[in-house]
Amino acid sequence: MSRVCIVFDRLRTEEKMLQKEASELGCECVMRDAKTTQINTDTKAGRDFGDVALERCVSYFRGLHFTACLEFLDVPVINNFAVAGICGNKMFMTARLKKSGVPTPKTYFSFSGEAAAENAKETGYPLVIKPVIGSWGRGVMPIRDGDAMDAILEIRGVTDGPHDRIYYMQEMVKRPPRDIRVITVGGAPVAAMYRRSSGFKTNLALDGEPELCKITGEIGELATRASEAVGGGILGVDMMEDESRGLLVHEVNNTVEFKGIAKVAEQNIPRAMVKFALDLVRK
Amino acid sequence: MNCPECDAGLGIPSDAATGEIIACPDCGADFEIAKKDGSNIELKQAESVGEDWGE
């Protein structure tokens, strides 16, 4: 049987669940800490990455660069470099969704503070500003008026990281106080949950409440289309229920967390992920 | 094993593995299991949350 490598930089419940499922499937599992792994251009010897790797780093850039190295070494990786690159950047991801005809909130891109201010003034408030890189709702802020916009521009001017000069602003979608997270494996929806919150953000990392969501035909079909739009693999597709337009996909996540949903899901999520990896190298 | 910061007992589970994060129940400091050889465990300071961390 093929051997699966789980690449991590912080061994979380999810990675241990994947290891356990691999073991129960009778598959040898190589646990690889990206932080202590060395790779060079001249030799493949002495590095065991199995026959297929599941990239599970919590640090996006570490995982992306590690994926590039694995592909250089001809190790198939889930998700592959192209998918990780798209999903790790909200602007790239939104552009890909829209281009593929997946319903997504209206989003405004600008490349300087002045242009963003102008863009917001023309569009009107409220808006939501999100950093193009980052997760768990970090840096996602509602902009309800010009004063809030000015404050954000001032903060961005002080921090002035390379991505602070890229402005990604989105319409504020009128939705119930929840969103929907669908886990897709090879394009197939395997589990879904509502993430409820009384606040502006629904991320479970911020104490959003998970609740099992039935995968309707509409939810499943949209999740599949969103997965295909970014290149497939193992993904977390986030949707909002807009009052007038129905479901809108606002995010597709590359290294999806699943320990919360796994407790209530009917399907064995980590098993589906390991099987998908094994099937990829069996073909 | 005790916390390198505050000396409280860390209560590391026997099935804890290399790479796993252990949080001190008293002071809240996070440590990563750097090496584990039977009952011999080596800890290092866990990385702090980075701007690019997440899903």
Side-chain angles (χ1 to χ4, degrees):
Chain A
M1 185 177 246
S2 301
R3 300 163 70 243
V4 174
C5 177
I6 296 170
V7 178
F8 65 93
D9 56 0
R10 199 173 169 100
L11 193 68
R12 299 167 294 178
T13 306
E14 280 89 347
E15 287 72 48
K16 292 172 88 171
M17 290 166 89
L18 289 165
Q19 183 184 23
K20 178 173 168 280
E21 291 304 328
S23 165
E24 287 185 7
L25 286 167
C27 153
E28 190 184 333
C29 187
V30 180
M31 301 302 287
R32 175 68 61 187
D33 186 344
K35 303 193 302 302
T36 56
T37 301
Q38 295 173 7
I39 296 169
N40 68 65
T41 51
D42 286 12
T43 177
K44 293 181 183 179
R47 293 286 165 258
D48 184 2
F49 298 109
D51 300 304
V52 58
L54 286 166
E55 190 282 296
R56 296 283 317 165
C57 288
V58 72
S59 158
Y60 165 62
F61 285 114
R62 182 181 281 138
L64 183 70
H65 288 77
F66 205 96
T67 298
C69 289
L70 289 175
E71 291 191 354
F72 163 71
L73 295 170
D74 300 318
V75 178
V77 194
I78 300 164
N79 290 320
N80 68 39
F81 181 80
V83 173
I86 292 164
C87 293
N89 182 305
K90 290 187 179 65
M91 184 180 285
F92 302 165
M93 177 197 58
T94 296
R96 191 58 75 97
L97 290 173
K98 187 71 186 171
K99 195 90 173 171
S100 302
V102 175
T104 191
K106 189 171 182 183
T107 309
Y108 307 86
F109 307 139
S110 6
F111 303 91
S112 70
E114 294 81 5
E118 192 67 26
N119 210 340
K121 204 171 167 184
E122 285 170 14
T123 307
Y125 302 101
L127 289 166
V128 179
I129 190 164
K130 303 180 180 182
V132 288
I133 305 283
S135 198
W136 299 336
R138 211 173 25 237
V140 175
M141 290 180 255
I143 318 173
R144 300 191 195 280
D145 55 32
D147 288 342
M149 186 70 204
D150 288 345
I152 286 164
L153 293 177
E154 193 176 327
I155 292 165
R156 289 268 185 120
V158 172
T159 51
D160 200 30
H163 290 107
D164 288 330
R165 297 165 202 168
I166 313 296
Y167 289 82
Y168 174 106
M169 295 185 295
Q170 208 160 57
E171 65 170 312
M172 191 172 283
V173 172
K174 288 185 180 143
R175 58 163 173 82
R178 66 183 187 188
D179 73 355
I180 300 169
R181 157 67 57 88
V182 187
I183 294 179
T184 60
V185 177
V190 298
M193 67 175 163
Y194 291 112
R195 302 185 300 181
R196 289 183 188 279
S197 172
S198 54
F200 169 68
K201 302 175 191 178
T202 54
N203 308 72
L204 293 189
L206 302 170
D207 297 329
E209 281 287 322
E211 180 189 321
L212 194 63
C213 167
K214 181 176 163 33
I215 303 175
T216 62
E218 186 191 9
I219 291 173
E221 191 242 345
L222 189 57
T224 299
R225 283 173 59 201
S227 166
E228 286 167 355
V230 299
I234 294 174
L235 299 162
V237 179
D238 295 343
M239 305 174 183
M240 291 189 273
E241 301 153 283
D242 180 79
E243 280 178 4
S244 55
R245 291 167 293 178
L247 294 172
L248 301 175
V249 175
H250 60 284
E251 202 159 310
V252 184
N253 298 277
N254 180 50
T255 47
V256 61
E257 292 162 350
F258 55 84
K259 71 176 177 195
I261 189 173
K263 287 177 194 160
V264 288
E266 287 168 10
Q267 277 210 53
N268 184 326
I269 299 167
R271 179 162 293 212
M273 291 175 174
V274 173
K275 277 187 170 174
F276 175 68
L278 292 171
D279 285 346
L280 188 77
V281 282
R282 200 174 286 145
K283 283 170 188 165
Chain B
M1 186 164 195
N2 288 358
C3 173
E5 294 283 344
C6 73
D7 208 33
L10 287 172
I12 300 173
S14 58
D15 64 346
T18 305
E20 205 165 325
I21 303 299
I22 303 294
C24 173
D26 275 20
C27 72
D30 283 340
F31 301 96
E32 180 179 332
I33 299 180
K35 277 185 191 166
K36 192 180 177 206
D37 180 14
S39 59
N40 292 326
I41 292 175
E42 201 175 297
L43 296 177
K44 65 180 179 184
Q45 202 82 36
E47 286 186 329
S48 54
V49 176
E51 197 181 318
D52 69 333
W53 278 27
E55 298 185 84

